[in-house]
């Protein structure tokens, strides 16, 4: 199996190539501080994946690099390690990757597709997004006859002391990951956490991450 540090270096090189075309490998290996931070972030995410998957670090990395269904998810996490330095996001992405590995054992292709969609959007998330997600996870999905204001954007903004505009941005970002759902109903737009969003928060709780 390739050395984990070399794989991170290769991903760093590809990222550098986007900034300075043609010189990615050189830049990716030249900035030791950048590589060190990237490796720290990647390690943080992979520790979460190890914890949730139940596999050893070596077994997990070998599986991720050899399984064609999981390799793209692995690369998304490595890429995010360089683009997003928020511990909550990295741990949550690692937990999502670990859940995908467990779903593979159950031959659940849809769950792997869900994880791929979530990881695609999660690299943009910040601690503010996870604060909103955690709050939504504390509220059950609305049922017929329930007070609609409890799940409205205005209510969420007030409870979390944010402007409605910022709350709308957060909900839009969370919705693109599949972690929440927002629907227009009587009284405005209402949002709640999806099963995937609930699972990510539970996994993060196990790691003390969020």
């Amino acid at each position: 199996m390739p050395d984990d540090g070399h794989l991170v270096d290769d991903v760093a090189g590809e990222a550098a190539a986007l900034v300075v075309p043609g010189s990615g490998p050189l830049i990716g290996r030249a900035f030791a501080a950048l590589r060190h931070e990237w490796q720290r972030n990647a390690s943080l995410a992979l520790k979460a994946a190890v914890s949730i998957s139940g596999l050893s670090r070596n077994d997990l990395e070998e599986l991720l690099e050899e399984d064609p269904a999981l390799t793209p998810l692995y690369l998304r996490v490595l890429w995010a390690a360089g683009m997003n330095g928020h511990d909550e996001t990295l741990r949550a992405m690692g937990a999502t990757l670990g859940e995908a590995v467990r779903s593979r054992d159950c031959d659940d292709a849809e769950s792997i597709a869900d994880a791929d969609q979530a990881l695609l959007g999660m690299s943009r998330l910040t601690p503010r997004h996870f604060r909103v997600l955690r709050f939504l996870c504390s509220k059950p999905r609305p049922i017929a006859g329930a007070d609609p204001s409890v799940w409205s954007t205005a209510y969420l903004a007030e409870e979390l002391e944010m402007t409605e505009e910022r709350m709308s941005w957060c909900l839009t970002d969370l919705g693109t990951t599949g972690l929440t759902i927002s629907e227009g109903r009587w009284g405005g737009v209402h949002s709640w956490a999806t099963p995937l969003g609930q699972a990510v928060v539970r996994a993060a709780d196990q790691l003390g991450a969020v």
Side-chain angles (χ1 to χ4, degrees):
M1 180 179 63
D3 180 81
D4 183 49
H6 291 168
L7 182 56
V8 172
D9 278 346
D10 291 341
V11 176
E14 291 295 328
L18 294 177
V19 179
V20 185
S23 58
L26 175 61
I27 293 177
R29 296 180 185 279
F31 292 101
L34 173 63
R35 295 203 315 275
H36 175 76
E37 180 65 12
W38 202 313
Q39 289 168 355
R40 185 202 77 87
N41 291 348
S43 179
L44 190 65
L46 288 175
K47 284 179 181 178
V50 166
S51 176
I52 299 303
S53 70
L55 299 177
S56 70
R57 174 72 175 256
N58 287 339
D59 287 346
L60 176 64
E61 289 186 336
E62 184 173 350
L63 175 63
L64 293 174
E65 292 177 22
E66 294 180 356
D67 189 308
L70 295 173
T71 298
L73 277 63
Y74 183 31
L75 292 177
R76 288 197 196 286
V77 172
L78 290 182
W79 185 267
M83 302 296 114
N84 188 316
H86 298 297
D87 287 2
E88 295 97 332
T89 302
L90 295 167
R91 287 195 177 102
M93 291 187 76
T96 301
L97 181 61
E99 290 283 359
V101 171
R102 292 203 302 190
S103 296
R104 171 189 175 277
D105 294 337
C106 300
D107 196 26
D108 187 353
E110 287 302 315
S111 290
I112 292 178
D114 290 345
D116 189 36
Q117 177 186 344
L119 289 173
L120 183 62
M122 286 174 72
S123 61
R124 302 192 305 271
L125 302 186
T126 66
R128 183 165 66 183
H129 291 92
F130 284 98
R131 188 159 61 97
V132 173
L133 178 61
R134 173 174 289 284
F135 185 81
L136 285 173
C137 286
S138 73
K139 300 290 182 184
R141 180 169 177 163
I143 58 176
D147 180 1
S149 65
V150 175
W151 295 273
S152 69
T153 301
Y155 170 81
L156 296 171
E158 181 179 358
E159 287 294 308
L160 294 176
E161 299 182 341
M162 294 168 57
T163 66
E164 287 191 42
E165 289 82 2
R166 288 178 179 137
M167 178 58 67
S168 293
W169 296 342
C170 284
L171 293 172
T172 297
D173 290 341
L174 288 168
T176 62
T177 66
L179 300 178
T180 67
I181 287 178
S182 295
E183 290 184 355
R185 295 187 174 187
W186 179 83
V189 176
H190 306 152
S191 305
W192 58 90
T194 63
L196 179 60
Q198 296 275 0
V200 165
V201 169
R202 283 197 303 271
D205 281 341
Q206 293 177 27
L207 301 164
V210 176

